[in-house]
Amino acid sequence: MELFRYANQHFHSSKIRRTIELLLATFLLTITVACNKKNSHENRPTPPPPTTEEVMALYDLYRQGNYQACVEAMASCEGKPATYRKEMEWMLKQHADNKKKETGGITQATLSRITLHDNGNMANVFLNITYKDNTTEEIIWQMVYVHDKWYLR
């Protein structure tokens, strides 16, 4: 019984009460800020989808071997160190070289379709690629709308 009286006495002390009130206020403020950020994201106007010209211009950078420009067009590489970006360029070049050895190289690339996600801020771009050995494949590029421009993800 004495234990309950002690706990009750200290729980109602002004220091404990102020601490609990402060924690509750912090929690409510955090929830309010989080909800407002979500609403502001949802209230943004839907961006225009990537155009055929934008998509094909990016793919042409890859086809022409301009891997540095490809990396510059990747949102995921923004702000990364130069060494990381060089490694990405090297990986793109290796992929292109391997595909060329396997297939003889690209003869044609056409945009098949675009599907939008995340309130129009993300897109899956489907490209049909035809190679010199007459094989074809459909590749999917993920794109993201950042700073009023479409980038490779």
Side-chain angles (χ1 to χ4, degrees), residues 18-19 24-25 31 34 44 65-66 69 79 101 103 107 117 120 127-128 136-137 140 142:
R18 274 188 253 145
T19 302
L24 184 58
I31 294 295
R44 285 191 312 204
N66 192 347
K101 286 177 188 173
T103 63
T107 59
H117 308 281
L127 296 163
N128 290 322
T136 61
E137 73 176 327
I140 303 170
Q142 292 182 331

Side-chain angles (χ1 to χ4, degrees), residues 101-116:
K101 286 177 188 173
E102 291 173 16
T103 63
I106 300 166
T107 59
Q108 184 179 6
T110 56
L111 177 61
S112 171
R113 67 188 182 282
I114 298 171
T115 59
L116 298 175

Side-chain angles (χ1 to χ4, degrees), residues 37-95:
K37 283 185 179 180
K38 182 180 179 187
N39 288 339
S40 67
H41 173 72
E42 290 174 354
N43 292 333
R44 285 191 312 204
T46 302
T51 64
T52 301
E53 292 79 18
E54 288 174 307
V55 172
M56 296 315 296
L58 288 171
Y59 194 74
D60 285 343
L61 293 174
Y62 174 77
R63 282 179 72 174
Q64 296 164 1
N66 192 347
Y67 308 117
Q68 181 180 0
C70 287
V71 170
E72 289 171 4
M74 291 181 181
S76 61
C77 290
E78 187 176 332
K80 298 287 190 223
T83 54
Y84 178 87
R85 295 166 70 87
K86 283 291 182 194
E87 287 174 6
M88 289 298 292
E89 289 175 34
W90 181 83
M91 286 175 26
L92 287 169
K93 182 179 180 339
Q94 286 300 112
H95 180 264

